Amino acid sequence: MSNGTDPTAVVHSGRVPVVNAANGLTAVRLVLIPVFVILVVVSGMTHAGWQVAAAVTFSVASVTDYVDGWIARRYQLITSFGKVADPIADKALTGTALGLLSGYGLLPWWVTAVILARELGVTLIRFWVISGGARRRAGEQRYGVIAASRGGKVKTALQILAIAWYLCPFPSGLAAVGPWIMAAAVAVTVITGLDYVLRALRLRRSGMS
């Protein structure tokens, strides 16, 4: 008889080991960042073959961000290390890519500054909510959590697509599409950042009530 639960779900009891598949993918993403930097520098953003290699490396590293999160949730492999390392790896990858594109004159520095300011701000707010949301009520401890919004997922997808587009050695006609994708990414980045701030403030207020 079905009890309404997923029969394929894996339930863990006790402490989740730090060494697991989800954290392993996060570590892979961190390792791929210097590899990506080397490929971009070697390419000088002028050698097509190395540019493609850099774009592929960036894309693979970005995909691990989705996969490790899915594995952690699906198999209940969420750890304190993962909660800290995953956003750091994500922001480091994005920030490094944007910085390199601006450094090679392909992307205005203000675009990089806006996106990184938003990402850093949201990360700090996330930790602020988690630390400030820890409270005791009715003998149990609860933690404030802001669920990922659909807009946040769209923002991430647009950023990845825009960066990968800039990295690829497209002919001028296709390359001209890149700034439009990046413009959409910046707009969604700012809007979702403001939404995140508002949701964080509401969560904090509800936690203090």
Side-chain angles (χ1 to χ4, degrees):
M1 180 182 293
S2 172
N3 60 3
T5 60
D6 182 356
T8 63
V10 177
V11 178
H12 292 276
S13 60
R15 185 176 180 181
V16 178
V18 174
V19 180
N20 59 56
N23 289 343
L25 285 174
T26 300
V28 168
R29 186 156 73 257
L30 286 168
V31 171
L32 286 177
I33 293 175
V35 175
F36 166 67
V37 172
I38 292 172
L39 291 173
V40 172
V41 172
V42 170
S43 77
M45 293 308 292
T46 57
H47 294 79
W50 290 110
Q51 283 182 258
V52 171
V56 170
T57 301
F58 172 79
S59 299
V60 170
S62 297
V63 168
T64 65
D65 185 33
Y66 286 97
V67 178
D68 65 8
W70 180 84
I71 291 176
R73 292 186 298 272
R74 178 67 177 77
Y75 297 100
Q76 299 183 25
L77 297 176
I78 299 173
T79 63
S80 297
F81 170 82
K83 290 179 181 178
V84 174
D86 183 71
I88 289 176
D90 180 29
K91 304 307 182 285
L93 176 63
T94 301
T96 298
L98 292 171
L100 286 168
L101 290 175
S102 293
Y104 280 98
L106 300 175
L107 186 68
W109 277 106
W110 70 264
V111 172
T112 295
V114 167
I115 293 178
L116 292 186
R118 185 272 189 197
E119 300 298 342
L120 177 60
V122 165
T123 299
L124 293 176
I125 291 173
R126 179 180 292 115
F127 289 132
W128 173 66
V129 169
I130 292 175
S131 62
R135 63 195 185 278
R136 290 193 174 278
R137 180 178 294 175
E140 66 178 25
Q141 194 171 35
R142 298 182 179 181
Y143 294 87
V145 176
I146 303 178
S149 67
R150 186 171 301 176
K153 295 176 182 178
V154 171
K155 178 268 303 180
T156 301
L158 284 173
Q159 286 182 1
I160 293 171
L161 177 60
I163 291 171
W165 202 281
Y166 271 84
L167 290 169
C168 288
F170 287 128
S172 58
L174 282 176
V177 178
W180 291 99
I181 302 175
M182 186 62 76
V186 171
V188 177
T189 295
V190 172
I191 292 171
T192 55
L194 294 174
D195 174 68
Y196 196 93
V197 171
L198 294 176
R199 288 193 292 146
L201 291 175
R202 285 196 295 268
L203 185 60
R204 284 289 294 228
R205 282 197 296 266
S206 65
M208 291 185 292
S209 61

